[in-house]
Amino acid sequence: MSAPTDRKFLGLLPLPERRYLTDALRTETVGGMLLLLAAVAALIWANTPLSGSYETVRDFHFGPAALGLDLSVEHWAADGLLAVFFFVAGVELKRELVAGELRDPRAAALPVVAALCGMAAPALVYTLVNVLGDGSLDGWAVPTATDIAFALAVLAVIGTSLPSALRAFLLTLAVVDDLFAILIIAAFFTSDLDFAALGGAVAGLAVFWLLLRKGVRGWYVYVPLALVIWGLMYNSGVHATIAGVAMGLMLRCTTREGEEHSPGEHIEHLVRPFSAGVAVPLFALFSAGVSVSGKSLGDVFTQPVTLGVVLGLVVGKAVGIFGGTWLTARFTRAQLNPDLSWPDVFALATLAGIGFTVSLLIGELAFTDDPALTDQVKAAVLTGSLVAAVLAAILLKLRVRKYSALYANEERDEDEDGIPDIYEENSPEYHLRMAAIHERKAAEHRQRAQLAGASSEEGDRPA
């Protein structure tokens, strides 16, 4: 029996995976920019003379009280709009499991272990800081999440075009990260259960699955059913976003004969712009509005709870992801792409310390009975994410020329057939097309030279 061959880590993606990644990250990048704007708007709104109106709007209640849904604007954003975000996360996870990076258990080991270590290390850092500082351990899960949209917005701002393998690794990390964040929310932030409502939600999910299985189509069937499931899940005591991810995981994400895209990919393509461009920015607008002052910023670095969040995001995430990746690559004999180096992985791990959206949500759930501490934790999430973003930007900028060259090589399409040349360079047909293109260009060059020579001769003739 031959020894197992070494695998390449962060190598060239298959073309279909690269196209899906490009489309998904384009939407997330735009959403990330809107997320940044929403966060800045919330901070300005909450720290000006208009702060009273911010609190009035955020705390305004509406909804059918008879159904247990008379919620504030802030809760509608956190429990309702983020359910859409987690629905997209569920579809992403399902696709990764059946057609993406998590399909092959050996290939999935790296991002899964990296994501797990990238969640365990921040939790340990937070716990250590609060044990030594006699703080609260309730917020251990706050620094465990990664915000892919915010991270991509940082990349867009600093103008760094990462190679597709690095971007895919970041997205896969975020997808696995979202899965475990959902499990944490379900396991540790579930209030007293209403088993009747929970049973109704489970029955609704069963109907949802059965309709998908039977091939029933029509948004007018699924949207009302999804709203009923969401409402029952909310009233059950389980966080309502669990309904979103459960429905996302039920969608079929493999193509059948005659299908260009699977139903899951098609629905994700329709819903992702709303999630990235509306749902998440609105959540940020009504969650990131905390009062900022010199004293409050100073408290972030002196109070155990807030210091634990900052260090968890900045130090825990970077060390956890990098350490988990390096150890897994070391023991699975996965070779790093020779075009990249381990400092590139560390820079990406630092970028993953941006934990905006889900960290804010978990912060609200962890300290729901202490509004003052909730605001301090939110300030810590903002501070930690900002520090991680600045450090990552510096590290990535140091390699920007290398990334730009790799990205340009991946995008090169000299034969203009819509497929990057890097995927065709071993194809005889590609070489034939390139030879014909070079011959055509040479003929055009000779023709231009002849015309230039004839014009020159005419100019030299005596009048």
Side-chain angles (χ1 to χ4, degrees), residues 28 63 73 84 90 106 109 124 128-129 144 198 200 334 358 414:
E28 291 290 353
V73 170
V84 179
R106 289 184 64 202
L124 288 174
L128 180 62
V129 170
T144 59
L198 182 60
V358 180
E414 292 185 9

Side-chain angles (χ1 to χ4, degrees), residues 262-324:
S262 67
E265 288 177 310
H266 177 67
I267 293 172
E268 180 193 10
H269 182 75
L270 295 175
V271 177
R272 185 189 288 276
F274 177 80
S275 170
V278 178
V280 174
L282 281 177
F283 167 75
L285 181 64
F286 294 110
S287 292
V290 294
S291 179
V292 177
S293 65
K295 183 181 183 303
S296 64
L297 289 177
D299 289 344
V300 165
F301 295 98
T302 57
Q303 301 298 322
V305 170
T306 51
L307 180 61
V309 170
V310 172
L311 292 179
L313 289 171
V314 177
V315 178
K317 272 289 182 183
V319 172
I321 291 175
F322 179 80

Side-chain angles (χ1 to χ4, degrees), residues 372-454:
L373 187 53
T374 299
D375 282 350
Q376 292 174 7
V377 169
K378 288 181 179 180
V381 170
L382 294 172
T383 303
S385 297
L386 179 61
V387 173
V390 171
L391 290 176
I394 294 171
L395 293 173
L396 292 170
K397 270 296 186 182
L398 294 175
R399 294 272 288 171
V400 68
R401 290 186 178 179
K402 182 67 174 179
Y403 296 150
S404 297
L406 291 172
Y407 184 78
N409 187 49
E410 288 183 359
E411 294 293 318
R412 182 169 50 87
D413 184 18
E414 292 185 9
D415 60 350
E416 300 178 349
D417 66 344
I419 300 175
D421 294 344
I422 196 170
Y423 291 95
E424 302 180 295
E425 289 175 341
N426 295 325
S427 165
E429 292 82 2
Y430 168 77
H431 290 289
L432 288 174
R433 287 197 302 272
M434 290 305 300
I437 289 171
H438 291 153
E439 177 58 33
R440 187 185 75 242
K441 290 182 177 179
E444 292 173 352
H445 178 73
R446 289 194 298 269
Q447 186 177 15
R448 285 195 298 269
Q450 290 172 357
L451 291 174

Side-chain angles (χ1 to χ4, degrees), residues 23-36:
D23 182 57
L25 295 189
R26 185 182 298 115
T27 304
E28 291 290 353
T29 300
V30 174
M33 299 302 291
L34 294 174
L35 176 62
L36 282 174

Side-chain angles (χ1 to χ4, degrees), residues 125-156:
V125 169
Y126 176 93
T127 302
L128 180 62
V129 170
N130 281 270
V131 167
L132 295 176
D134 196 25
S136 171
L137 298 181
D138 292 342
W140 64 270
V142 174
T144 59
T146 294
D147 194 310
I148 183 65
F150 207 139
L152 292 172
V154 170
L155 293 177

